[in-house]
Amino acid sequence: MDYLKELNREQYEAATTTEGFIRVVAGAGSGKTKTLTARYMYLVEMLGISTANILCVTFNNKAAAEMKKRIRKQLPDQDLGRITTFHGFCVGLLKEDCHVVGYPTTFIVLDEEDKEAMLRTVFEDLGITSRDMTIREAVDHIGWRKGGRGYVKTLIDPNIDHILELVESASTLKDKVMYRYFYEQRKCYGLDFDDLVYFALYILEHDRATREKWQQRLEYIMVDEFQDIDKDQYALADILSGYHRNLFVVGDPDQTIYTWRGADVKFILEFDSRHEHVKTIYLNTNYRSVPQILTASNALIDKNRERLKKQLTPVRPDARKPLYFHAKTSQLEADWVTAQMRAMHEGGMAYSKMGVLYRAHYVSRALEESLIRSKIPYVLYSGVEFYKRKEIKDILCYLRMIYSGDDVSFLRTVNEPRRGVGRTRIRALKEYAELNRCNLYEALLASLETDLFRRSRAREYVRLIEKYRAIFDGMDLTDLLSGVLSESGYEEMLRSSGEEERLDNLAELKQAIYDFQRKAGEEVSLGNYLDHAALFTNMDQTERAQAVKLMTVHAAKGLEFPVVFLCGLSEGIFPGKRANTREKLEEERRLAYVAFTRARDRLFLSDAAGTNYDGSFRYPSRFLFNAEKENLDYAVPLDPDLVEDAMDHIRKTEDLAQPPQKQNDAVGKRVRHPVFGEGKVIGIPRGQEGYIVQFDSMVTPRTFGAGVKLEFLAI
């Protein structure tokens, strides 16, 4: 029970309130993970609930792994498989119930690279070039069309030829590509990330027995980072909690930064109006940042309207205010940042404790140049993720060939290393597969004795796949990997070309599989691991420990650093030019708030004069002014004329971002006039459009027509 004694009053209430609909509004650094972990252990240890009956959904695999790690210390022998992501849960549901829609349990999970590889095949087969359409355009169109979820009926149609008929009858090239992609998916029973959630929802909505089984099984549902879920994830949580009605959600509306991915802040803001008898608990005690960083952060986010009002309260002792520097050029800004780093390092601070954040990757160019000149080690968090590296993906596709034999894996592995199966032979296999309604590997098996393939080394490939298909079920996964690496010739190919780093990556893959087996226990299988690898993403595994870390603010979500440098705080960069509505501006401000609150001890803010790519002048960001001057230390004073011009620019852009105000809705609202100052709308002129405003500085009201420039203020 020590874990409960470590909680503050609000955390304790959240951890021990178990029944009903509960919303926890957890501010940055308020011990959210600690509270979630304590609640999970309380359900298991104190209430005796089985872990099989608790679903805890976190935002990503990293967060799920961290929560499991904490809980295992207290509950070492429990199955924690239902501490997962939404996609991870959906894979589990589909493995158990995909028969409802006619899919086998050996369906494969397609990652983004698989999807693009499949589309390249579609483009080649349909004779489409990049002039007609790009892969990115096809991905976006398919994602948009899948959003309605009606396509699921097409993919589960047992008559696969019906999909080919849709290809032929499609009225647009984009739809032709989409239906052909569906055909390629259906051939190998492949589901991409979108499909995992949509198929799970389809089954739950259309099969009563399956729905009731999962609803009754999951007695307690906990959803982390609720501010970032989309409408489909919301629907999943809602359906699954429909029987026991125990839904516990944790999030912070002030940290909603993924609306471009479908997140909607209203799901957490309106949780109490969408569910009955909701209990709301606020976690406002911040254990991370010094008071001066929190004061600036609170002032910044308070400028947003779409939020639940709260103030983070610090517990740490006073320290220095955030330090702001305005530079004349981007290079001078970068040099100032590196000078601060060097000074702190000489004072005993490790470079690994410093994080550099920015809104967009291009901001890092000048910073990288300055870091190199200053001989300061750094890691740029924008490299290829471990599981997306060529050698890792190649070997995973070898394993997938053994498990399922899909066309994407076949095309990736059959000629890697080279076996003489080039374009001509692949074209022949595709023609055979199309004619005989089979996959490419089956086409190869049928073609081995033909003149075209007798002169290739394709038989070696078939021998390898067939050997391990017969025995993989009873093999240790690391032994299987070693056998494939050796007998495929892949390891020898890298060794002979001196690819030491890629060989190191394969050794790391072997370690990853070993770790997976150790944690998964008896349930481990090749299929389990392939699902895990397809869903898993992580930062660069080869990062140097003693290095400054450079990343976008989005990548920094969930992280914290003793020292944070937030660079490129200029209008047009942060907020970006596309933030042209109030909603978009509020999201940008939330993103700045996330950046501020990553800092524990020191926060450095900087910007540089100059011009943006569209020729607009780079004024200091409105977020600097939103944080309030008294809450920041200025390394150099801003020129009063620059401040006036910046404020004029900000007012103009915010005027343009204001949604049109309905006349009747305007009554009672506070407004600002460019000459008369602030006042209140007290009425509407009879028979015409416009407003009657009582200004604070005037005795009598003024009447305006519809074209008046009034700025509506947040209350």
Side-chain angles (χ1 to χ4, degrees), residues 93 95-96 118 138 161 253 299 317 371 397 550 567 691:
L93 182 148
K95 286 291 180 184
E96 189 171 322
M118 202 173 269
D161 289 341
L371 287 164
C397 281
L550 277 63
C567 306
Y691 310 101

Side-chain angles (χ1 to χ4, degrees), residues 518-585:
R518 183 170 51 81
K519 292 174 182 175
E522 294 179 1
E523 293 186 11
V524 69
S525 70
L526 178 57
N528 293 151
Y529 180 71
L530 291 173
D531 292 339
H532 166 81
L535 291 172
F536 196 87
T537 59
N538 65 352
M539 292 292 192
D540 192 336
Q541 298 274 324
T542 61
E543 69 179 63
R544 289 169 289 173
Q546 295 304 315
V548 175
K549 296 172 177 62
L550 277 63
M551 65 188 75
T552 64
V553 183
H554 279 102
K557 181 74 183 292
L559 303 178
E560 58 182 66
F561 302 93
V563 178
V564 166
F565 293 87
L566 179 55
C567 306
L569 274 168
S570 302
E571 290 290 307
I573 299 177
F574 199 3
K577 292 290 291 182
R578 295 180 181 175
N580 54 6
T581 66
R582 182 172 62 80
E583 290 77 14
K584 290 178 181 178
L585 277 171

Side-chain angles (χ1 to χ4, degrees), residues 87 148 158 166 183 209 212 223 244 272 491 518 571 583 679 692:
H87 289 93
L166 292 173
Y183 177 71
E212 291 180 351
V223 183
H244 294 288
D272 56 341
E491 197 167 38
R518 183 170 51 81
E571 290 290 307
E583 290 77 14
I692 303 171

